[in-house]
Amino acid sequence: MKREFIKGNDAIAKAALLAGCTQYYGYPITPSSEIIHTVARVFPKAGASFVQAESELAAINMVYGAATTGQRIMTASSSPGISLKQEGVSYMASAELPCVVVDIMRAGPGLGNIWPEQSDYDQVVKGGGHGSYKTPVLAPNCPQEMCDHTILAFELADKYRTPVYVLADAYMGQVMEPVTFPSEVAKVEKKDWALYADKDSKHNLVTSIQMNTIEMEKVNIRLQKKYQEIVANEVRFEEYCMDDAEMALVSYGIASRISRSVVDELRETGLKVGLLRPITLYPFPTLRIQELSKRIKVFAAIELSNGQMVDDVKLAVNGACPVEYYGRMGGAVPTHEEVVSQVKGFYKLYLA
Amino acid sequence: MGKILQKPTGFYDKFVRKPGTYDQVTHYCPGCGHGRIHKLIAEAMQNLEIGDQTVFISPVGCSVFAYYYFDCGNIQSAHGRAPAVGTGVARSNPHAITISYQGDGDLGAIGTSEIIHAANRGERMTIIFVNNGIYGMTGGQMAPTTLPGQITSTTPYGRDAATTGLPMKMCEIISQLDAPVYVERTAVTDAKGIMKTKRAITKALKSQKEGYGFSFVEILSACPIGWKMSANDSIKRIEEEMIPYFPLKTFKDEIADRTPRPVVPVAPSQEDVLKALGHDQKEEILFKNDKKFIDDFTTQKVRIAGFGGQGVLMAGTTLGMLGMELGLDVTWLPSYGPEMRGGTANCHVVLSNKEVGSPVVESPNVLIAMNEPSLVEFEPSVTPGGLVIVNSSVVVGKCKRSDVTVLEIPMTEIADSCGLKAAANMASISAYLAFSKVIEKDQLVTLIKAKFKKKSLIEQNVAVIEAAYKYVSDHVRG
């Protein structure tokens, strides 16, 4: 175990090597660039490979090619770059190729700015490319989780043969905190589907095309079954002060850090507020929210977008109780006082 | 004769991946050049004995189904992206023979960026570029290689060069780059053309087998259905119309002048990884766990701001690292990206004995202002009763707040007097600790001695810390 005071972005790059990642393909973009900087510095030293691609589109397609070889492959970017990568992610979902895609979200739409937003939720959590696919999405809220989730993402990617996202915001990428790294490199098994450019594997085929509709439907059905399995096995979330809570905040990433402080303050004033933090955004903790909605009087999603995750909260609650939303956009991060005041308002509205 | 008609081993004996009943014939139209070119590749794969190590990439176009036929590793890829996919294959499996088989719309239009950059990097890859001047599969639309005046479904009045440009000459473009070793254009027309094409394909694949990077073979090929012509007329059209515009020749052949590149497998060992990460050394424990210190610690929310180059961010990380080593929960959040280009920098630091919520310091209880604009900008945000430490060597203006404690410390002068002007940041932290006593100065010195990267400057940094500490003791507390 090695402890470092380290930026979230740097922790991701280092964790990737410890996860057994052998290759990184990427294109720089603020606020994710420390990932590619650190990769460029440490990957070649470790005997792993790094290519600075000509575009995000090229990078994700390099990932596609490299992933066919059964090795652990990663790319990272930030929102505008993720929009470009969606083509490749759709192809990889269809061809069932594992990889890890890191998105350090910034403000949009368009070029937006480099400050934190969580407005890639829809394009990442809902399968942002074409076709009926999903990808597991992990949402770290501290550099330690940037490390842990990167390693977990590689495990899930191999386990389910799917691209897996680590979805964080600009502040999670930039913030420095203590991180304890594992002291061993993860073992990567040989895959029976991969192309090793040898006699034994040469009859393997990586494809996403099936001209026959019934055959293509079979591919889709297989994918949907896989997603059901992921939903059944991989939901992760964290609860804070939820045991006796009457109001539940739901938030992830930087918003969950603010929400946690808000819960602390409101608890001191006697308000029964708790926090449910989804760690996997896909699969979403739907069942848990459903269960909670039997006793929780009001949910409030706090997120840095126009209200994207709140839709999933509403679907889970399914009308059982009110669901409110508070968020900021454009890279503006809500202040502690601002959220306190909003949450108090909701509390008063439904619980006074 | 029997031998000549034999199917090359580069092909599957039966095309079982192909849907439908006919597993001995291809899906290509009569007179199409793909069938011929496929056979030449399959023969070369057999002759060079590379079938087992070949990975064949077929992006969108009629040849997207090449995996029905080739007895090797097969990847179908997105439109235009095969050279990027091939880059991934070649970097992961450097011993692979990577073939990217692309049409003109794929390579010359949507995938222009990918082909240029893969060529420029000299990836271990052979490009087979089939130029039939039209989008065959998608419905006979204009390709970047469509000839002027040619009628297609998107140039129903003939290609007008004035509005659609002239046909792209890809061999001419690719051969301008330094990295490719071999660039040739041939045509599958008559027996002679076919033999030349076979030689070109074989040469490209052989050079790849021997470790010489990137080759590019463009093949002029017929699309009788897309051109709405008979097979015979299509061949005539290649000879009479295409070849004059796309001359057949060797554009580049530097195989003999190059050195083969060794195949180095990508296989990082655990030892190499830990070493590269700097995780191979035993962790040094700097301070004993001091429960009383942690229990008594009051949360510190610090904002440090100044000019770029004043070490503002490093002052913050030093404070954060010190907190971590002392067992506190710590966060550090910097200004970043283009914000830094303007020459100002600031960071947020939180030190606490509880789990830190938001790392954003909206209302610091400590502000360290290394320059004037920082004082002006952040002074209003300091909590009442807070501490404002001003670098009086640089800041002329005064803090206007009456509800905070102001320390004016000539940080730059102190640092300069110790022979290291750049260490004003250390003076700032030292002054903060000297006044607040939240952490002992000697602990800061221990940290600097153990963790400071520029070993040659440790002594001077420590001197600055001592001097600033003394300054506060003499002038503020004394």
Side-chain angles (χ1 to χ4, degrees):
Chain A
M1 304 292 250
K2 175 83 180 185
R3 195 176 56 154
E4 284 188 67
F5 188 55
I6 189 170
K7 267 192 181 188
N9 281 339
D10 294 325
I12 283 178
K14 289 191 161 190
L17 271 184
L18 292 164
C21 176
T22 58
Q23 291 173 71
Y24 180 96
Y25 300 89
Y27 188 87
I29 177 170
T30 312
S32 75
S33 292
E34 290 85 357
I35 300 177
I36 200 170
H37 298 167
T38 302
V39 164
R41 194 164 45 82
V42 299
F43 269 49
K45 267 196 196 169
S49 154
F50 155 67
V51 177
Q52 179 171 335
E54 60 270 28
S55 70
E56 284 92 347
L57 201 48
I60 193 70
N61 280 285
M62 290 173 187
V63 169
Y64 181 100
T68 67
T69 69
Q71 297 179 29
R72 289 190 163 178
I73 318 295
M74 183 165 89
T75 185
S77 190
S78 177
S79 311
I82 295 298
S83 300
L84 284 171
K85 285 188 198 290
Q86 293 289 12
E87 173 193 85
V89 177
S90 167
Y91 275 74
M92 293 187 83
S94 183
E96 298 190 82
L97 290 175
C99 74
V100 173
V101 182
V102 177
D103 179 3
I104 308 297
M105 290 181 282
R106 56 187 260 179
L111 200 51
N113 63 40
I114 58 162
W115 302 109
E117 250 195 22
Q118 297 178 319
S119 54
D120 286 1
Y121 186 92
D122 281 350
Q123 77 151 336
V124 168
V125 175
K126 306 294 178 182
H130 58 285
S132 301
Y133 77 93
K134 299 271 195 176
T135 53
V137 181
L138 299 167
N141 85 340
C142 58
Q144 181 67 59
E145 284 192 347
M146 294 289 254
C147 164
D148 299 347
H149 287 185
T150 299
I151 296 167
L152 174 61
F154 277 107
E155 298 294 334
L156 294 175
D158 271 359
K159 184 175 173 189
Y160 294 102
R161 287 185 61 184
T162 175
V164 176
Y165 273 98
V166 175
L167 184 69
D169 50 79
Y171 276 177
M172 283 307 115
Q174 294 299 321
V175 74
M176 213 182 239
E177 289 181 6
V179 172
T180 304
F181 289 94
S183 47
E184 282 182 9
V185 177
K187 299 268 179 298
V188 180
E189 300 291 319
K190 213 171 172 195
K191 279 101 172 171
D192 58 6
W193 53 263
L195 290 168
Y196 293 97
D198 63 12
K199 199 174 175 32
D200 293 341
S201 69
K202 74 173 194 171
H203 294 134
N204 286 334
L205 167 66
V206 175
T207 185
S208 67
I209 186 171
Q210 291 291 345
M211 285 303 273
N212 180 302
T213 55
I214 301 303
E215 291 305 314
M216 194 62 219
E217 189 178 42
K218 278 185 196 162
V219 171
N220 271 278
I221 290 169
R222 191 171 71 233
L223 292 179
Q224 299 311 314
K225 274 194 184 142
K226 171 159 82 180
Y227 302 144
Q228 283 167 11
E229 207 184 313
I230 290 170
V231 167
N233 300 331
E234 306 299 344
V235 173
R236 288 169 172 81
F237 58 87
E238 184 185 70
E239 293 184 7
Y240 183 64
C241 297
M242 282 299 292
D243 289 350
D244 63 340
E246 293 189 299
M247 175 178 183
L249 306 186
V250 185
S251 57
Y252 65 100
I254 182 67
S256 70
R257 298 282 296 262
I258 300 166
S259 297
R260 192 187 161 100
S261 310
V262 168
V263 168
D264 282 341
E265 181 172 329
L266 294 178
R267 280 276 165 178
E268 277 173 26
T269 65
L271 302 193
K272 288 186 174 173
V273 180
L275 169 66
L276 182 120
R277 173 170 78 94
I279 291 172
T280 49
L281 298 174
Y282 182 82
F284 197 69
T286 306
L287 285 180
R288 179 59 184 154
I289 291 177
Q290 212 171 57
E291 203 173 270
L292 286 167
S293 68
K294 288 174 193 155
R295 65 171 174 88
I296 293 292
K297 304 285 189 297
V298 57
F299 286 89
I302 312 294
E303 50 180 322
L304 274 65
S305 72
N306 58 335
Q308 300 188 6
M309 180 193 63
V310 69
D311 289 350
D312 281 331
V313 180
K314 283 180 183 167
L315 281 172
V317 168
N318 199 15
C321 71
V323 177
E324 290 285 353
Y325 143 83
Y326 180 70
R328 294 287 301 269
M329 292 173 282
V333 178
T335 64
H336 174 85
E337 279 71 29
E338 194 179 333
V339 179
V340 164
S341 136
Q342 287 291 331
V343 172
K344 269 185 182 167
F346 296 142
Y347 201 90
K348 204 172 152 192
L349 192 62
Y350 299 102
L351 286 153
Chain B
M1 280 304 280
K3 207 178 170 198
I4 292 169
L5 292 174
Q6 225 172 31
K7 199 181 267 183
T9 57
F11 280 143
Y12 281 115
D13 194 28
K14 286 186 176 177
F15 303 143
V16 293
R17 281 175 176 163
K18 182 170 162 267
T21 7
Y22 304 102
D23 62 6
Q24 297 283 325
V25 293
T26 71
H27 70 289
Y28 296 114
C29 311
C32 167
H34 279 306
R36 283 197 191 103
I37 298 164
H38 278 24
K39 188 161 181 242
L40 299 178
I41 296 170
E43 284 171 355
M45 280 165 63
Q46 176 178 348
N47 295 340
L48 294 167
E49 298 177 332
I50 54 171
D52 290 346
Q53 68 195 99
T54 295
V55 176
F56 194 103
I57 307 168
S58 39
V60 175
C62 291
S63 57
V64 69
F65 299 115
Y67 61 82
Y68 292 167
Y69 313 118
F70 288 102
D71 187 3
C72 63
N74 277 282
I75 301 172
Q76 170 269 323
S77 84
H79 201 21
R81 317 288 174 236
V85 173
T87 299
V89 173
R91 297 287 179 128
S92 314
N93 280 338
H95 68 283
I97 301 293
T98 306
I99 300 175
S100 173
Y101 186 103
Q102 303 179 255
D104 39 46
D106 187 86
L107 183 141
I110 195 167
T112 327
S113 170
E114 285 78 5
I115 189 62
I116 295 280
H117 288 277
N120 192 51
R121 289 188 302 264
E123 298 292 345
R124 297 169 186 269
M125 200 186 300
T126 297
I127 306 286
I128 306 294
F129 171 40
V130 180
N131 178 0
N132 59 17
I134 202 161
Y135 286 71
M137 187 191 226
T138 312
Q141 295 89 351
M142 180 185 74
T145 47
T146 293
L147 293 179
Q150 188 179 335
I151 290 172
T152 71
S153 39
T154 52
T155 54
Y157 311 110
R159 180 174 187 171
D160 176 7
T163 57
T164 63
L166 285 163
M168 300 265 281
K169 296 181 175 180
M170 293 311 296
C171 274
E172 284 81 344
I173 293 172
I174 298 296
S175 58
Q176 293 307 304
L177 300 169
D178 284 336
V181 290
Y182 173 56
V183 180
E184 169 122 26
R185 183 185 290 125
T186 65
V188 279
T189 45
D190 53 3
K192 208 172 142 197
I194 291 170
M195 288 318 291
K196 273 192 172 171
T197 305
K198 183 175 176 174
R199 279 199 294 275
I201 291 171
T202 305
K203 187 169 186 167
L205 290 174
K206 184 166 175 281
S207 82
Q208 199 191 144
K209 185 186 176 186
E210 290 166 356
Y212 298 93
F214 186 94
S215 292
F216 187 93
V217 180
E218 174 175 347
I219 304 162
L220 304 183
S221 168
C223 179
I225 300 291
W227 296 353
K228 300 183 171 55
M229 276 181 183
S230 73
N232 284 342
D233 287 347
S234 298
I235 297 296
K236 213 184 286 174
R237 178 173 181 267
I238 296 177
E239 287 166 345
E240 291 173 3
E241 296 177 34
M242 288 183 83
I243 293 174
Y245 192 88
F246 297 110
L248 306 185
K249 65 175 197 174
T250 306
F251 288 86
K252 192 174 186 183
D253 180 0
E254 293 184 358
I255 296 169
D257 312 327
R258 304 282 182 99
T259 317
R261 285 184 272 169
V263 169
V264 183
V266 184
S269 70
Q270 168 147 316
E271 200 189 341
D272 291 343
V273 167
L274 295 180
K275 204 173 163 202
L277 296 179
H279 291 183
D280 55 336
Q281 273 144 32
K282 227 179 152 206
E283 207 172 328
E284 198 182 346
I285 294 165
L286 294 185
F287 308 112
K288 272 192 211 139
N289 187 12
D290 185 344
K291 192 175 175 302
K292 190 175 179 312
F293 163 79
I294 293 171
D295 287 348
D296 295 346
F297 194 85
T298 312
T299 297
Q300 298 292 303
K301 294 186 173 186
V302 186
R303 194 82 188 250
I304 311 173
F307 290 127
Q310 282 184 313
V312 161
L313 299 184
M314 199 185 160
T317 56
T318 304
L319 209 48
M321 208 181 283
L322 184 58
M324 175 179 88
E325 295 292 342
L326 288 165
L328 298 169
D329 197 23
V330 289
T331 68
W332 170 90
L333 183 68
S335 52
Y336 57 88
E339 192 195 25
M340 302 287 290
R341 312 285 182 265
T344 65
N346 75 84
C347 63
H348 315 233
V349 183
V350 184
L351 307 172
S352 181
N353 57 5
K354 290 184 278 292
E355 196 179 321
V356 179
S358 174
V360 184
V361 175
E362 293 149 13
S363 318
N365 67 312
V366 180
L367 168 65
I368 298 175
M370 302 284 284
N371 68 358
E372 191 108 19
S374 302
L375 179 65
V376 174
E377 186 177 350
F378 297 114
E379 183 192 319
S381 65
V382 178
T383 49
L387 174 64
V388 177
I389 307 175
V390 178
N391 180 9
S392 57
S393 307
V394 172
V395 181
V396 182
K398 297 282 171 193
C399 177
K400 293 173 189 70
R401 295 270 301 266
S402 56
D403 59 345
V404 297
T405 306
V406 181
L407 286 189
E408 290 181 350
I409 313 287
M411 299 171 193
T412 313
E413 283 157 54
I414 291 172
D416 205 13
S417 72
C418 300
L420 193 62
K421 205 173 172 184
N425 57 347
M426 288 300 139
S428 77
I429 309 178
S430 181
Y432 162 47
L433 299 188
F435 186 81
S436 67
K437 306 281 185 203
V438 288
I439 294 170
E440 285 172 31
K441 175 209 59 185
D442 289 349
Q443 291 173 322
L444 173 63
V445 171
T446 304
L447 179 93
I448 296 294
K449 283 183 176 168
K451 302 279 179 183
F452 204 75
K453 281 193 183 124
K454 288 180 190 155
K455 299 290 173 207
S456 60
L457 298 178
I458 288 177
E459 215 170 291
Q460 282 154 307
N461 272 283
V462 170
V464 173
I465 290 168
E466 298 289 357
Y469 199 87
K470 188 168 181 299
Y471 183 92
V472 175
S473 309
D474 291 352
H475 294 81
V476 183
R477 287 276 163 108

